[in-house]
Amino acid sequence: MIRTNRRTRLLLLGLLLLAAPGYAQESYSLQQCLNYAVEHNSNVKKSTYDREKAEQARKEVIGALMPQVSGSAALNDNLKKAKFIMPNFMNSMLPDKLRDPNASQYMTIEMGTQYGANAGVSVNQQILNMSLFNTLDIAKVSERMATLAATSTEEDVIAQTATLYYGAQVTQYAAEQMLSSVDLVEKMLRTMETSYSAGLIKKVDVDRLKVNLTNLRTQQAAIESGLEVQKNLLKLQMGLEVTEPIVIAPLDLDLLTRQEISMSGAAAAFDPVQHIAYRQLLEREKMAQLQERSKKYDYIPTLSVALNAQYNYMSDKLFGGGNTHYGYPTVMLGLNLRMPIFSGMSRLSKVRESHMDLLKAQEDLRSLDQSLRMAHLNASLKLQDTQRTIALQKENQALAAQVFDLAQKNYTLGVASLSDVLNASQSLVQAQMSYANALGDYIKAYIDLKKSKGEIRDLME
């Protein structure tokens, strides 16, 4: 955590330096962006809170297994004392001469004192409660599921951030290629304007080339605008202020070759357990088993021990005194046994319902295994296809550059028309954009393959 905070401070310092005048803007690598996103993305933070919540839920269950101790105290003022009605045995006990023949058959006796107080403590401890013990196992599984969910969220953020980062790199590369095409046409335009001044070519040829140059500049502006949009999306995904400037490192074309080597034989190296989604379903299956067991435990008796200790105090005066105050302690120790006998078959139905949930979880697990294998195979095929496309588009781009250069020279020599030059220019731009699109498709396939193998975190290394 100390190393992580230090890395965050360094990244923030770098971003502040970018905004300060007089400092050169430093380009940020993929790893820097991924580390920042994992620490500051809102979804990652919320998943961390869910993980901590699950941990506290487990501790709550552990607390329920511990002795439950509670205290109590009370002070009562008997504003109207209770009365007890009983036969008038006092009159009957007197001698015959002293008895009152008109005495009431019953007499009333006032009960208790004016004030009463008590204070006590109660302790309850579970001895046999299989449902509660099973709940602890459920809480542990829930905590592991929350941890896996947090990891899954982090991996989604990593994949999305990497996709946006690589996408911005490709767009930046396309903008650079478009700029080189604009530079070529501008040089040609300056040459043609010199030739027009010398009366060697027609004005319409100069105007046609100017129109073509304007179109190229428009395309370049659109690409640069798209690049800024992608950067803003990247900053939003990272949790970085959208007003902060960020510079993307240039696309490393040599990286494609290194990735191609590292991905060789990828189709054979697949283990579904490496995938977070598969491990989540394994925990879900375990949860279904515990839920079924919990319903079965409803048949088992529960046993607990209870201890209650209390001290009682009574007096006709609030603060005692005189001969009307009394106090005595009471202590009770007992065992509580709860034994289920008959529930109208409802418990059996609950067990069967839970078993159906377990069967569904097992079916989902088998289905996910096949889906992950299919996704991995498709991603491998897609990656291979994009690698071939890149090789073809790279050759096509080089050929288009040669054709444009040749057309320009032939036009200067007068053996080619301006239309040939313009067509060659458009073909070059199209080849450059096709190559850039092929790079984008390859990077997307590369990220998809990493995700399908459960190795998306490798991008952070």
Side-chain angles (χ1 to χ4, degrees):
M1 179 62 70
I2 296 177
R3 185 183 303 130
T4 300
N5 292 336
R6 184 182 297 114
R7 183 172 61 245
T8 303
R9 290 194 297 267
L10 290 175
L11 182 56
L12 287 174
L13 178 60
L15 292 174
L16 291 174
L17 291 178
L18 287 177
Y23 289 93
Q25 291 187 344
E26 178 188 357
S27 61
Y28 285 88
S29 66
L30 173 65
Q31 288 71 28
Q32 288 175 307
C33 293
L34 293 180
N35 287 326
Y36 191 93
V38 167
E39 293 179 21
H40 297 86
N41 182 271
S42 177
N43 292 331
V44 173
K45 289 182 178 179
K46 289 189 293 184
S47 64
T48 302
Y49 301 150
D50 290 337
R51 180 174 55 191
E52 293 177 356
K53 180 180 177 181
E55 179 183 357
Q56 296 304 319
R58 176 182 58 81
K59 293 181 179 179
E60 178 183 354
V61 177
I62 294 177
L65 292 172
M66 299 296 178
Q68 305 298 302
V69 183
S70 60
S72 63
L75 175 63
N76 300 315
D77 184 351
N78 298 312
L79 300 177
K80 193 70 174 179
K81 297 180 183 178
K83 294 182 178 181
F84 182 71
I85 300 176
M86 59 184 301
N88 193 351
F89 62 88
M90 297 295 296
N91 188 59
S92 61
M93 292 176 61
L94 295 174
D96 293 340
K97 294 181 180 182
L98 298 178
R99 291 179 184 174
D100 184 2
N102 298 320
S104 174
Q105 186 178 357
Y106 295 93
M107 64 179 183
T108 302
I109 299 178
E110 193 173 56
M111 305 294 293
T113 58
Q114 182 68 34
Y115 299 98
N118 62 76
V121 62
S122 175
V123 181
N124 189 283
Q125 173 63 56
Q126 296 288 337
I127 298 178
L128 176 63
N129 192 331
M130 300 306 297
S131 294
L132 187 57
F133 299 153
N134 190 66
T135 302
L136 177 58
D137 293 333
I138 292 176
K140 291 179 180 178
V141 174
S142 297
E143 185 178 7
R144 291 199 297 268
M145 293 179 67
T147 300
L148 289 174
T151 304
S152 178
T153 301
E154 287 185 2
E155 291 190 353
D156 289 340
V157 169
I158 291 172
Q160 294 167 7
T161 304
T163 299
L164 290 171
Y165 183 88
Y166 280 133
Q169 278 191 323
V170 171
T171 304
Q172 186 170 266
Y173 174 79
E176 293 171 356
Q177 296 301 306
M178 180 62 70
L179 180 60
S180 66
S181 297
V182 170
D183 290 339
L184 288 175
V185 176
E186 286 179 343
K187 291 178 181 178
M188 185 177 179
L189 179 61
R190 289 193 292 269
T191 301
M192 291 186 63
E193 287 176 340
T194 301
S195 300
Y196 170 71
S197 300
L200 300 177
I201 61 173
K202 300 178 181 178
K203 185 177 184 301
V204 65
D205 292 338
V206 178
D207 293 340
R208 290 179 62 188
L209 191 58
K210 286 183 179 179
V211 171
N212 185 67
L213 180 59
T214 300
N215 292 335
L216 290 178
R217 286 173 175 170
T218 302
Q219 295 179 45
Q220 180 190 7
I223 294 175
E224 291 176 349
S225 177
L227 175 60
E228 293 303 316
V229 171
Q230 288 180 311
K231 286 183 178 180
N232 289 335
L233 292 174
L234 175 61
K235 289 185 285 187
L236 180 64
Q237 178 66 24
M238 292 170 55
L240 181 67
E241 290 291 336
V242 294
T243 56
E244 294 289 344
I246 185 170
V247 178
I248 304 299
L251 180 63
D252 183 8
L253 296 179
D254 294 335
L255 177 65
L256 305 180
T257 303
R258 296 195 297 271
Q259 289 175 348
E260 183 177 356
I261 296 175
S262 63
M263 284 291 131
S264 60
F270 176 75
D271 182 5
V273 180
Q274 298 296 325
H275 208 287
I276 291 294
Y278 191 83
R279 297 207 298 272
Q280 285 178 307
L281 267 189
L282 286 175
E283 294 297 336
R284 178 183 161 191
E285 181 188 24
K286 179 64 175 179
M287 177 68 76
Q289 293 174 348
L290 293 174
Q291 294 287 0
E292 182 182 13
R293 184 190 301 174
S294 177
K295 300 301 185 295
K296 292 179 179 178
Y297 283 159
D298 288 342
Y299 289 97
I300 301 178
T302 60
L303 180 64
S304 62
V305 61
L307 172 66
N308 291 293
Q310 183 172 289
Y311 187 84
N312 301 279
Y313 177 82
M314 292 173 291
S315 177
D316 281 333
K317 294 184 178 180
L318 180 60
F319 298 104
N323 58 357
T324 64
H325 65 279
Y326 305 89
Y328 60 91
T330 60
V331 179
M332 186 274 292
L333 177 65
L335 290 175
N336 298 320
L337 177 66
R338 176 183 174 274
M339 181 179 297
I341 298 176
F342 181 70
S343 63
M345 306 300 289
S346 63
R347 280 192 291 267
L348 179 60
S349 297
K350 291 179 180 179
V351 171
R352 290 174 176 173
E353 289 176 9
S354 299
H355 187 65
M356 295 301 106
D357 292 336
L358 175 59
L359 294 179
K360 287 173 58 179
Q362 292 173 346
E363 286 297 326
D364 290 341
L365 194 60
R366 284 190 288 268
S367 177
L368 180 63
D369 178 77
Q370 295 300 314
S371 298
L372 291 177
R373 292 183 184 277
M374 182 191 67
H376 176 258
L377 180 59
N378 291 342
S380 300
L381 295 174
K382 181 64 175 178
L383 184 67
Q384 295 172 8
D385 180 64
T386 55
Q387 287 173 345
R388 291 191 294 267
T389 302
I390 284 179
L392 293 175
Q393 292 298 337
K394 185 176 182 179
E395 294 178 359
N396 188 52
Q397 180 180 246
L399 181 60
Q402 293 177 4
V403 171
F404 176 77
D405 185 61
L406 181 60
Q408 185 179 5
K409 290 179 179 179
N410 289 339
Y411 178 78
T412 304
L413 297 175
V415 296
S417 65
L418 180 61
S419 297
D420 295 333
V421 176
L422 296 179
N423 291 335
S425 172
Q426 294 175 358
S427 297
L428 176 59
V429 171
Q430 184 176 358
Q432 291 172 339
M433 295 303 101
S434 297
Y435 180 63
N437 291 334
L439 291 175
D441 292 339
Y442 169 81
I443 290 173
K444 183 179 183 303
Y446 172 74
I447 294 176
D448 289 342
L449 184 59
K450 281 288 188 181
K451 289 175 59 179
S452 69
K453 294 183 63 179
E455 298 177 350
I456 195 66
R457 286 183 174 273
D458 291 350
L459 297 177
M460 300 183 67
E461 298 177 356

